């Protein structure tokens, strides 16, 4: 295959976390595919098809816990194959693949709008929220819940070692939300109301949903979830069901482990470090998934995803 430096840069930027967040990784995956469509000089339809999906799969698998991007590549494969049992001419293929890339990104945007629309009105009784890491969708929903409520307040973690929690804090402040930033290690105390703000509920985002309904989110999420469970506080996972990964199971899911230098760049020789980016939050700790279809119990996540996004299960 011909080399495409611009596509290689996207791949490296995803791997090195210059591109962060599930939606941004999905957008970048399709940017790479569209670059190939634009730049490819391949004349054979089968070879073009093979190389396009080789690039799409590589970008979508640049990091381990990115089913939103991987499901997007599946979406394109599924609906192109459904429309064309025989490959059309190359110009038609390029047009159709570009359209499908844009269509999937529109589906992501629509799912985010629906998450806010379907869930806000049922959660306006919540005044004090604890959240961990940075999820643009969770932040948008939190802002929507607190709109016009003078008593509304959010506590967010700093989220080390990359401090994504600062993005959350800035976004909330820009939205006029009273916000308190805390150290990650203080989160469990706040979840059981031993912090400076009495917490009503915990909201987290989600990088991946397993086939059984467990969630994978930023490391530290399980401890917060177990503290909330102990204190009888609801834990909501804010996510579109487009993040369901039917190939991942509790016992076998692969968790991304990042470079040790994230923790300590000039660490003393001989020091062993381990830096997992994510962890599993057991479905028994989750009150509900706040999705584009409203609140969904963890036990119903798989069946609902299959009902609305059956193509995901082509995997």
């Amino acid at each position: 295959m011909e080399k495409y430096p611009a596509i290689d840069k996207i791949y490296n930027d995803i791997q090195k976390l210059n591109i962060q967040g599930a939606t941004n990784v999905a957008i970048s995956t399709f940017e790479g595919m569209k670059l190939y469509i634009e730049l490819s000089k391949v004349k054979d339809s089968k070879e073009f098809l093979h190389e396009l999906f080789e690039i799409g799969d590589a970008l979508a698998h640049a990091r381990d816990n990115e089913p939103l991007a991987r499901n997007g590549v599946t979406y394109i494969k599924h609906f192109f194959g459904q429309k064309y049992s025989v490959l059309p001419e190359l110009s038609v293929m390029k047009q159709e693949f570009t359209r499908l890339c844009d269509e999937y990104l529109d589906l992501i945007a629509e799912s985010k709008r629906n998450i806010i629309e379907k869930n806000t009105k049922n959660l306006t009784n919540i005044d004090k929220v604890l959240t961990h890491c940075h999820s643009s969708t969770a932040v948008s929903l939190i802002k929507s819940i607190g709109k016009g409520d003078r008593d509304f307040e959010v506590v967010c973690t700093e989220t080390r070692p990359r401090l994504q929690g600062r993005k959350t804090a800035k976004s909330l402040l820009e939205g006029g939300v009273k916000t308190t930033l805390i150290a990650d290690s203080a989160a469990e105390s706040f979840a059981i109301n031993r912090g400076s703000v009495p917490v009503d509920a915990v909201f987290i985002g989600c990088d991946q949903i397993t086939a059984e309904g467990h969630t994978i989110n930023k490391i530290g999420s399980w401890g917060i979830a177990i503290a909330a469970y102990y204190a009888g506080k609801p834990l909501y996972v804010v996510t579109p069901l487009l993040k369901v990964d039917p190939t991942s199971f509790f016992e076998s899911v692969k968790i991304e482990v990042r470079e040790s230098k994230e923790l300590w760049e000039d660490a003393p020789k001989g020091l062993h470090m381990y830096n997992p980016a994510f962890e599993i939050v057991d479905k028994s700790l989750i009150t509900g998934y706040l999705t584009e279809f409203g609140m969904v119990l963890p036990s119903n996540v798989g069946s609902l995803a299959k009902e609305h996004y059956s193509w995901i299960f082509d995997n």
Side-chain angles (χ1 to χ4, degrees):
M1 185 195 294
E2 186 181 340
K3 293 290 183 184
Y4 299 95
I7 297 175
D8 290 341
K9 183 180 185 309
I10 292 172
Y11 180 87
N12 290 330
D13 280 345
I14 294 172
Q15 275 212 322
K16 293 175 182 177
L17 302 179
N18 296 328
I19 297 170
Q20 291 187 43
T23 300
N24 290 331
V25 171
I27 290 170
S28 299
T29 295
F30 292 126
E31 280 178 0
M33 293 177 76
K34 286 196 278 187
L35 272 173
Y36 174 78
I37 292 167
E38 180 187 336
L39 300 173
S40 174
K41 296 174 183 175
V42 170
K43 302 297 182 186
D44 180 75
S45 294
K46 286 184 179 178
E47 186 181 351
F48 174 85
L49 187 74
H50 173 76
E51 289 191 356
L52 176 68
F53 285 125
E54 188 176 3
I55 285 168
D57 285 332
L59 291 170
H61 286 84
R63 290 173 58 199
D64 289 322
N65 304 107
E66 297 292 346
L68 188 65
R70 296 199 295 268
N71 286 341
V73 177
T74 300
Y75 179 92
I76 292 167
K77 289 178 183 177
H78 174 89
F79 286 103
F80 181 83
Q82 193 177 71
K83 188 170 182 178
Y84 298 104
S85 55
V86 177
L87 291 182
E89 60 183 60
L90 205 53
S91 61
V92 174
M93 288 176 68
K94 289 183 176 184
Q95 215 171 31
E96 183 65 16
F97 282 127
T98 300
R99 185 189 70 79
L100 285 168
C101 285
D102 292 337
E103 188 175 88
Y104 184 72
L105 293 176
D106 287 343
L107 183 61
I108 293 174
E110 182 187 11
S111 72
K112 290 189 169 192
R113 288 192 296 270
N114 285 336
I115 285 171
I116 295 166
E117 184 182 321
K118 296 283 179 71
N119 294 288
T120 298
K121 61 184 178 183
N122 297 321
L123 299 165
T124 51
N125 61 315
I126 295 171
D127 280 332
K128 313 294 182 188
V129 168
L130 170 65
T131 189
H132 180 54
C133 201
H134 181 71
S135 160
S136 59
T137 310
V139 168
S140 295
L141 179 59
I142 289 167
K143 286 179 182 177
S144 182
I145 294 166
K147 191 173 182 180
D149 184 350
R150 291 183 180 180
D151 295 325
F152 193 76
E153 187 171 358
V154 178
V155 177
C156 64
T157 59
E158 57 186 345
T159 323
R160 290 189 175 272
R162 289 203 166 244
L163 302 172
Q164 295 103 313
R166 293 183 182 180
K167 290 182 182 179
T168 298
K170 285 180 181 178
S171 181
L172 290 167
L173 286 174
E174 286 165 4
V177 178
K178 186 178 180 183
T179 304
T180 298
L181 182 72
I182 61 171
D184 290 358
S185 53
E188 288 83 0
S189 289
F190 273 76
I192 61 172
N193 281 356
R194 293 181 186 173
S196 61
V197 178
V199 169
D200 299 324
V202 177
F203 285 67
I204 60 172
C206 169
D207 291 271
Q208 185 173 345
I209 305 170
T210 73
E212 310 103 323
H214 307 291
T215 203
I216 297 165
N217 195 50
K218 181 68 181 177
I219 193 74
S221 296
W222 185 86
I224 296 170
I226 200 75
Y229 185 82
Y230 170 83
K233 305 288 175 64
L235 171 77
Y236 297 111
V237 179
V238 185
T239 180
L241 294 189
L242 291 167
K243 291 184 182 179
V244 168
D245 182 355
T247 67
S248 65
F249 296 88
F250 187 92
E251 298 82 6
S252 59
V253 68
K254 188 176 181 183
I255 296 293
E256 177 184 338
V257 177
R258 294 181 185 161
E259 292 179 325
S260 296
K261 67 179 181 181
E262 264 195 358
L263 300 179
W264 195 353
E265 193 160 2
D266 56 348
K269 289 182 180 179
L271 176 66
H272 296 283
M273 291 187 282
Y274 184 65
N275 184 23
F278 307 107
E279 66 183 342
I280 299 175
V281 177
D282 309 59
K283 64 181 180 182
S284 59
L285 302 177
I286 299 169
T287 304
Y289 283 90
L290 303 178
T291 78
E292 61 271 45
F293 308 107
M295 192 177 86
V296 181
L297 294 175
S299 56
N300 296 334
V301 160
S303 59
L304 195 62
K306 202 160 193 173
E307 179 185 340
H308 292 278
Y309 305 131
S310 58
W311 46 269
I312 286 178
F313 295 81
D314 282 358
N315 280 328

